[in-house]
Amino acid sequence: MAEKTTVVTPERFAAGFTYADYIAQIKVNRDKFEQYYESARLTDDDAAFFRRAKDAGATRMLILGEDWCPDVFRGMPVLIKIAEAAGMETRIFPRDENLDIMNEYLKDGEFMSIPVPVFYTESMDEIGHWHERPVSANEEMPKLTEQTQAEMPDADEQEFRRTVRERMQARYPDWQVETVREIRELLAEGLSL
């Protein structure tokens, strides 16, 4: 099997932002990052699993994201909680300034969906990566939109979009839990845990 070539070298990884530095430089949604950092929860079992994953080799996490993206301000904080629980070294790269990295992790080979956490060993061998939001969120989002349309057929566009956004945001804590579950599955498979 041919080894995957990547633009993410140890030096490139080290040049990314820490979470604190990323938050310090973002232009929008700092309050949302803080809100979803506070709502992100790991069980004791989750925390123990992620420590085992680090011991098994998942020592580094790269995250591609942008501060304007709802999936990022919902998802990145839970990824940071995972990294903190495990003690993983984490670096964040703004997607739009790092398209060469993003191009390695296009969703379905086509979409620049974010956030994308990529897990590596100490020697920068990729263990696995994940995209954007959990499966349950992808299933629920169109249903929430359809439900809102059925309940508010005469709503103006602005009111409709605001209501859909509020309904989705009410689901964010559950989607964070699903993110943790899916990342556990990804690492369990990639590390044979």
Side-chain angles (χ1 to χ4, degrees):
M1 180 173 177
E3 191 172 314
K4 177 182 172 183
T5 58
T6 180
V7 297
V8 183
T9 62
E11 296 77 19
R12 180 81 179 269
F13 179 84
F17 290 107
T18 65
Y19 187 62
D21 290 341
Y22 180 76
I23 294 299
Q25 62 84 48
I26 63 175
K27 311 254 186 309
V28 296
N29 295 318
R30 184 172 292 139
D31 59 330
K32 290 186 178 4
F33 279 90
E34 291 170 3
Q35 174 187 350
Y36 292 110
Y37 181 85
E38 289 303 316
S39 72
R41 300 279 181 262
L42 299 180
T43 66
D44 291 343
D45 186 58
D46 292 331
F49 172 84
F50 291 117
R51 285 191 297 275
R52 284 194 311 277
K54 183 189 179 216
D55 291 344
T59 60
R60 295 179 173 182
M61 182 194 322
L62 177 150
I63 304 171
L64 288 160
E66 288 290 343
D67 57 3
W68 47 261
C69 177
D71 287 315
V72 173
F73 63 66
R74 174 206 48 83
M76 188 184 292
V78 77
L79 298 170
I80 295 303
K81 290 275 183 128
I82 288 169
E84 289 171 349
M88 287 179 196
E89 182 181 4
T90 304
R91 293 293 182 270
I92 299 165
F93 291 81
R95 180 196 69 186
D96 296 346
E97 297 170 20
N98 294 279
L99 294 177
D100 58 338
I101 299 174
M102 183 71 247
N103 286 334
E104 293 184 22
Y105 298 102
L106 297 174
K107 186 175 185 179
D108 301 326
E110 184 177 358
F111 303 103
M112 288 197 251
S113 303
I114 48 178
V116 177
V118 185
F119 297 90
Y120 298 98
T121 64
E122 188 68 28
S123 59
M124 297 303 295
D125 295 319
E126 184 182 330
I127 296 164
H129 66 279
W130 182 86
H131 284 108
E132 188 177 29
R133 65 178 79 98
V135 171
S136 62
N138 288 329
E139 292 169 351
E140 286 182 60
M141 289 173 76
K143 293 175 186 174
L144 290 169
T145 302
E146 290 170 18
Q147 175 188 4
T148 305
Q149 182 64 50
E151 293 172 6
M152 303 173 64
D154 299 323
D156 66 48
E157 185 69 18
Q158 186 175 9
E159 181 183 7
F160 174 77
R161 287 178 184 260
R162 183 182 64 250
T163 302
V164 170
R165 185 175 51 250
E166 288 169 357
R167 289 179 175 183
M168 287 185 188
Q169 288 174 349
R171 300 293 301 135
Y172 282 3
D174 290 331
W175 294 348
Q176 286 181 317
V177 169
E178 283 298 298
T179 298
V180 171
R181 185 186 63 72
E182 289 185 12
I183 298 293
R184 282 185 66 155
E185 288 177 1
L186 172 82
L187 291 175
E189 181 179 327
L191 296 166
S192 300
L193 293 177

